[in-house]
Amino acid sequence: MNMVVLLAGVADPKWPLAAVSTDLLGDRARNHICLSPFDEAALEIALKIREGRSGTRVTVAMAGGAESDPLLRKVAAYRPDRAVRIDGGTLALHDARTLAAALAALVPQLDATADMVLIGREFGDCDSGAVPPCLAATLGWRLFALAQHAHWLDGRLWLVREQGNVEESVPVEGQWVVSVTNDRRNRLRHPLMKNVIEARRMSVATLGPSPPARARLALDAVAAAPARTRDLPCRMLSGALATQVGELAAFLAPWKART
Amino acid sequence: MSGMIVALAPAVLRDVDWLAPVRAAASIARGTSVAAVIVGGDGEMAQAALRAGAGAVWLVSHPGLGDQPDTGQLVALFAQALTQADLQDHRLALVPPGALTETIAASLAVHLDGAALGLCADIALSDAAITATRPAYGGRAVMTVTCAGRRCYGAMRPPKPTHSGDPRQGSVHHLELTEPLPQPLPTTRRDSHLSAANLEGAKVVVSGGRGMGGKEGFALLAELAGCLGGALGGSLPAVDAGWVPVLRQVGQSGRFVTPDVYVAVGISGTPQHLAGIAPSTRIVAINKDAEADIFRFAEIGMVAEWKDALPALIARLKETA
């Protein structure tokens, strides 16, 4: 089992957005970036799969510019077999299909023997879940979407997700694109400090840039979202707890009656 | 550029609002014809699609379609339908919003050489192009993209229905497709024992966040949701911590919920979380931090520890039962 983990990073939600514009790559450098929960989950699942079977290889690739290098070093501290940056200069980050085609073309260069690509269910800051299915369809590989967990059982790898009240498990055979969502079982571990220090000294290898592709979508504008506001201020309850609870219960009671 | 909007309605899937793409398509059509392609539907569903705004309905069947088709099979089926003579003139196809159903649209974009729009907040059609606005940066920004001269595939949340729709004239066709479907994923299914009410369609959602501090509080939230006949939800940090299953995650990267009332307990109120709550929803917030952002968006706020507030609130609601 040889895996390629595709990471993008996102503008850190703990920081205000410093810049939003149609220069998506440039804005990555102007904002604080971090791994998204889905990036982290994809990486953790890959590490767990590798731990379960010797001879399994993990190649991690992060799409972006030089601003991604510190993040890639952070990822390198988890000791993937290979960590490279995909030069984002020609990637159409806003256009899932075109982006997926570029990533698909790079998979053989990342690992010619790869039989699984792990990728967060959303890739980057465009909030689109379209990249993983486009990637699978472009590669002609099977798609397992919204994976929450992977485990080995009797020598076979199983992918697991929950849909409604049903847990679905699928055995892995052949080549797969696996989009990963967050789950308690795939929270990213902490790296060993010695590996962190070693990774800081790592020189970052870069793949690409890919030949520029003709995007299917033109990016017209990116603007800060209008602030969600309420016309009226919040009615803050006051007084003894019992009084507040009584008011809240009275407010909620009609919905109870209706439902 | 001429061409119709096609609503792709996988009625065969459980827990999917199959009518949503019809309503979404009708809301943006402005004179463009709307067709609905329903997989696993019947005459009653066809009439519902007509009432929701479709001008024509295709009820699709396939001899190889089982009770639980996977998305790969649905992609193949919709691709077959969209290449039929009556439907190939489409310029936009919409699927129901949802993490799994949206993969159908993206896959179709590749198979039918179109553009993948993803989940859009709005879509506008002009003679020359399709323009879509959609969230970016976890809902903190809005992105506008345009596609000229290509078919587009995506999803859009429909406006909330105000009534059941007027009776409409329209044609209903039966389409039996026979091209072989891909083998379904060899899926083993088991009950995950998460039998609480669904978030979709719930009138009340009771949700917890990082401030709950552990699983214990979620048992109380579930009890409160039960008292109100509502559904249990959670924020991303609560899901990450394993206090609530991922299928109950509300927010930009989770479910979009449209209840009448959203009870947010121990939730700070980040834009990413609020992006999963309909603007028309009335928010009730319980948080020990009086400065929490959630109070800026709530109608009623209570500054309290959940350990004090929830048992008392549940008891009071049970008293008044």
Side-chain angles (χ1 to χ4, degrees):
Chain A
M1 174 69 61
N2 294 322
M3 294 167 284
V4 170
V5 184
L6 295 175
L7 306 173
V10 294
D12 192 335
K14 295 188 183 72
W15 289 76
L17 282 175
V20 286
S21 72
T22 54
D23 179 12
L24 297 177
L25 191 64
D27 286 344
R28 282 172 63 91
R30 290 182 275 276
N31 290 310
H32 290 262
I33 62 167
C34 64
L35 293 179
S36 77
F38 310 128
D39 286 336
E40 291 189 352
L43 178 58
E44 178 63 30
I45 283 191
L47 297 173
K48 281 201 170 83
I49 291 173
R50 184 177 66 174
E51 285 166 357
R53 173 68 66 89
S54 61
T56 297
R57 196 166 60 239
V58 175
T59 299
V60 175
M62 178 168 294
E67 81 290 337
S68 306
D69 291 354
L71 211 49
L72 191 57
R73 287 195 182 90
K74 190 176 163 187
V75 170
Y78 294 95
R79 305 300 301 270
D81 298 274
R82 187 182 175 207
V84 297
R85 171 158 63 85
I86 296 171
D87 190 312
T90 57
L91 296 177
L93 299 173
H94 65 284
D95 181 344
R97 189 183 163 204
T98 306
L99 174 59
L103 295 174
L106 290 170
V107 167
Q109 294 179 55
L110 291 164
D111 186 342
T113 62
D115 31 29
M116 182 181 288
V117 172
L118 289 146
I119 181 171
R121 61 181 265 198
E122 291 177 6
F123 189 74
D125 270 317
C126 293
D127 294 2
S128 171
V131 176
C134 284
L135 182 62
T138 306
L139 287 166
W141 294 10
R142 302 201 89 165
L143 173 70
F144 189 80
L146 308 176
Q148 293 167 246
H149 181 53
H151 64 95
W152 292 95
L153 184 66
D154 299 331
R156 202 173 212 194
L157 181 64
W158 291 76
L159 300 168
V160 181
R161 68 182 173 202
E162 287 164 4
Q163 289 298 312
N165 299 331
V166 174
E167 183 184 87
E168 297 182 341
S169 303
V170 170
V172 174
E173 277 176 18
Q175 293 174 305
W176 290 75
V177 171
V178 180
S179 81
V180 181
T181 193
N182 54 313
D183 184 88
R184 68 182 162 78
R185 290 166 290 188
N186 58 38
R187 294 187 73 187
L188 185 59
R189 65 194 69 185
H190 292 291
L192 294 175
M193 186 50 70
K194 65 171 187 172
N195 295 337
V196 173
I197 293 166
E198 195 177 316
R200 281 182 191 149
R201 293 194 291 264
M202 177 189 94
S203 62
V204 172
T206 305
L207 201 62
S210 319
R214 193 167 64 86
R216 277 102 176 158
L217 295 174
L219 179 58
D220 299 335
V222 185
R228 182 179 173 132
T229 54
R230 263 180 52 78
D231 295 336
L232 298 171
C234 178
R235 180 160 71 92
M236 298 301 293
L237 301 177
S238 59
L241 181 70
T243 307
Q244 295 185 42
V245 165
E247 282 191 59
L248 198 48
F251 176 82
L252 292 171
W255 278 276
K256 181 181 178 185
R258 205 177 296 176
T259 54
Chain B
M1 184 181 177
S2 64
M4 68 180 85
I5 307 174
V6 179
L8 302 175
V12 69
L13 292 180
R14 292 174 186 169
D15 301 328
V16 168
D17 181 4
W18 62 270
L19 204 51
V22 186
R23 300 196 337 256
S27 74
I28 59 172
R30 296 176 189 273
T32 303
S33 59
V34 174
V37 174
I38 305 177
V39 173
D42 54 21
E44 201 173 313
M45 288 174 167
Q47 292 304 314
L50 291 175
R51 283 196 302 275
V57 176
W58 273 263
L59 292 170
V60 173
S61 59
H62 189 288
L65 195 66
D67 289 341
Q68 293 182 308
D70 64 27
T71 52
Q73 292 184 308
L74 288 169
V75 168
L77 208 54
F78 283 129
Q80 286 182 41
L82 288 170
T83 49
Q84 300 293 305
D86 289 326
L87 295 166
Q88 65 181 356
D89 186 32
H90 66 279
R91 59 188 303 209
L92 172 65
L94 295 175
V95 298
L100 210 54
T101 45
E102 286 161 30
T103 67
I104 296 172
S107 303
L108 285 170
V110 176
H111 290 299
L112 300 176
D113 194 21
L117 295 179
L119 176 60
C120 304
D122 196 13
I123 300 175
L125 288 80
S126 70
D127 289 342
I130 292 174
T131 300
T133 54
R134 63 187 198 204
Y137 294 98
R140 292 185 288 170
V142 178
M143 177 177 283
T144 306
V145 294
T146 297
C147 179
R150 275 181 190 276
R151 294 166 174 158
C152 292
Y153 302 86
M156 193 186 112
R157 291 196 182 99
K160 210 165 183 175
T162 51
H163 57 93
S164 60
D166 300 321
R168 277 179 59 124
Q169 295 294 316
S171 53
V172 178
H173 312 268
H174 291 266
L175 181 61
E176 178 161 352
L177 299 170
T178 53
E179 283 180 43
L181 297 176
Q183 285 295 311
L185 297 182
T187 305
T188 302
R189 294 181 173 87
R190 71 177 182 89
D191 190 340
S192 60
H193 306 294
L194 302 170
S195 55
N198 278 332
L199 285 168
E200 283 78 11
K203 297 287 185 192
V204 178
V205 171
V206 178
S207 228
R210 194 195 301 271
M212 299 303 293
K215 263 191 172 174
E216 178 199 348
F218 274 85
L220 283 173
L221 291 176
E223 191 177 353
L224 177 59
C227 284
L228 294 166
L232 178 68
S235 67
L236 185 145
V239 170
D240 272 355
W243 303 337
V244 63
V246 70
L247 64 93
R248 302 210 163 270
Q249 183 174 318
V250 174
Q252 179 63 45
S253 52
R255 303 293 176 114
F256 183 82
V257 295
T258 59
D260 294 341
V261 177
Y262 187 86
V263 183
V265 186
I267 287 176
S268 62
T270 62
Q272 292 88 342
H273 185 72
L274 293 168
I277 307 168
S280 57
T281 292
R282 303 168 77 178
I283 297 175
V284 171
I286 301 174
N287 201 301
K288 68 178 180 184
D289 177 8
E291 302 300 316
D293 276 347
I294 191 72
F295 291 123
R296 294 198 291 121
F297 311 103
E299 182 169 331
I300 293 191
M302 184 174 180
V303 179
E305 288 272 4
W306 65 262
K307 290 177 183 174
D308 300 325
L310 289 182
L313 181 59
I314 291 165
R316 183 63 69 93
L317 285 166
K318 284 183 175 172
E319 271 174 27
T320 56

